[in-house]
Amino acid sequence: MGISQYIKEIGRGKDGARALSREQATDLFGQVLDRSVTDLEVGGFCLAMRIKGETESEMAGFLDATYARLNMVPEGDSPVVVLPSYNGARKLPVLTPLLALLLAREGLPVLVHGTATESTRISAQNVLLALDIPAATAIKEIANGEVCYATTELLCPGLKQLLDVRRAVGLRNPAHSLVKLMAPCAGPSLVVSSYTHPEYAISMAATFALMESNALLLRGTEGEVVADPRRVPQMTGYLRGQPSIVQEAHTGPLAAVPDLPKEIDADTTARYIRDVLAGRKAVPHPIALQVEHILRLTQHIRTQSPATV
């Protein structure tokens, strides 16, 4: 059938483009994920959406199409904490694995998912491998206290292919926002999500509300979902899409600056994480606060009936 009729709507420039309905967005994105359209159509879709920007209804439709194709993590005893990791380290060590292991130590099942989208950065996958946590080879139930790393390709091959379009055209596309919003779990979960630019905070919040998501949204570290260890950001919790500020941002630097490693390679970062877990180094205060808020939110999710999560 093709998606040319949709590209005509979204490809009229920033001021002339028209938003798609949720149903149209679902159909379009499903065809893109299934690769039932040409590479030229995929490129046209990506560039048109990059210029126009996604509405929350369009993003909800893209998520609907993705959920219909995801290999979902089976439901377990506890809500799964979902940590998307797609940016990696550029100037600071990538501490998403530290956040994951701190949460697992509290007895939560943790899913880290991602793929390398920046070839010059150190990814969470590199650090997890240095911590003896290899990528999963199959989707399975995650035990309480376990960290599982799943590649995007394992969750949804078509989504990984769409992320890779960035390497060809040099620009982000809706998939880069979608992976930070999706909950690839058959049962209750909490998505920890981050933004780098304030306008994305607004659009992500609107999508969480429309999708009635359970989530924690904050300005993370270089695009990662872990709080910046040097400052406390605002954190907003979402339960069934209803927002609540669970942490106010602190102004100014911390009273005690964390002793972060100067090198950001995977082995050095892994050694630092082991030192923190062993108590030889302190947990950075912003990350400790983030863990506390995630624990509270997952406790709230546990009290919700399965029909409303």
Side-chain angles (χ1 to χ4, degrees), residues 22-60:
R22 183 168 177 171
E23 292 74 20
Q24 289 173 320
T26 302
D27 180 44
L28 183 160
F29 208 72
Q31 292 187 61
V32 170
L33 291 179
D34 292 340
R35 296 314 296 259
S36 61
V37 295
T38 66
D39 288 344
L40 187 59
E41 286 176 300
V42 172
F45 159 69
C46 291
L47 291 174
M49 292 304 299
R50 177 61 174 166
I51 294 169
K52 184 185 85 65
E54 308 93 10
T55 66
E56 59 266 31
S57 292
E58 288 171 331
M59 187 56 75

Side-chain angles (χ1 to χ4, degrees), residues 3 12 26 29-30 61 77 83 91-92 103 113 142 144 146 148-149 153 168 180 188 195-196 241 245 278 286 300:
I3 59 172
R12 300 175 183 270
T26 302
F29 208 72
D77 296 332
L83 304 179
K91 295 180 180 179
L92 294 173
L103 292 167
H113 66 86
I142 304 173
N144 293 341
E146 178 186 4
C148 172
Y149 177 79
E153 187 172 10
K180 294 188 176 185
Y195 59 90
T196 51
I245 295 176
H300 282 298

